[in-house]
Amino acid sequence: MQLSVSRDPEGKAGLIALQVKDVLFFETHRNKDMIVLHTQDEQYFIPGTLKYWTEALRASGEDFEIIDRNNAVHLTKVKHVDQRFRIAYFSEGKDAKKCTISINNVTKVLKFLETHKGLA
């Protein structure tokens, strides 16, 4: 599955196709009608809300979950959770992509990792 995304929030760079499997997480842009999609090396922009895209991708069989007020993660891409600071990491190392998890959702993420990946 692919999404049509832009490299800039105004769409001036045009659209490119982004594989959903490459999305680590997305977050609300300061313009509330736009979200920022993060891959391992890039970030892209797409119109819509966090709730809309989370629901649409889940309805399409993808494991996305809103885990904080401004973040939704591709649960299958989470590699590690720092429970103390409530941060989801998507790779190892000091330059690892990461996002915050609300205190109420840490258990949900850990349960997914334990059930589906044998982690946590």
Side-chain angles (χ1 to χ4, degrees):
M1 183 180 350
Q2 296 180 343
L3 300 172
S4 295
V5 300
S6 179
R7 291 185 186 275
D8 66 280
E10 294 83 27
K12 293 179 181 177
L15 296 174
I16 61 169
L18 176 65
Q19 295 286 332
V20 172
K21 68 179 179 65
D22 294 334
V23 177
L24 303 177
F25 70 100
F26 45 90
E27 64 183 331
T28 304
H29 186 263
R30 66 182 170 270
N31 165 359
K32 297 291 183 189
D33 295 328
M34 181 78 60
I35 60 172
V36 184
L37 294 90
H38 292 267
T39 64
Q40 194 62 45
D41 302 312
E42 301 276 342
Q43 66 180 26
Y44 302 93
F45 301 86
I46 192 167
T49 64
L50 200 63
K51 183 176 181 180
Y52 172 85
W53 282 107
T54 302
E55 291 298 323
L57 290 167
R58 287 175 66 191
S60 300
E62 298 292 337
D63 291 316
F64 281 86
E65 189 72 47
I66 294 175
I67 61 164
D68 201 350
R69 182 181 316 139
N70 295 316
N71 297 318
V73 296
H74 199 172
L75 289 167
T76 57
K77 300 294 184 176
V78 175
K79 301 292 185 209
H80 173 72
V81 173
D82 181 326
Q83 295 181 55
R84 180 173 180 211
F85 293 106
R86 298 185 320 273
I87 298 174
Y89 290 91
F90 300 93
S91 63
E92 302 297 327
K94 68 176 187 153
D95 294 328
K97 286 264 187 153
K98 61 189 176 207
C99 70
T100 57
I101 307 171
S102 74
I103 195 164
N104 296 328
N105 287 316
V106 171
T107 303
K108 183 189 305 184
V109 176
L110 290 173
K111 190 175 288 188
F112 179 91
L113 293 177
E114 186 177 309
T115 304
H116 293 86
K117 299 174 99 175
L119 300 173

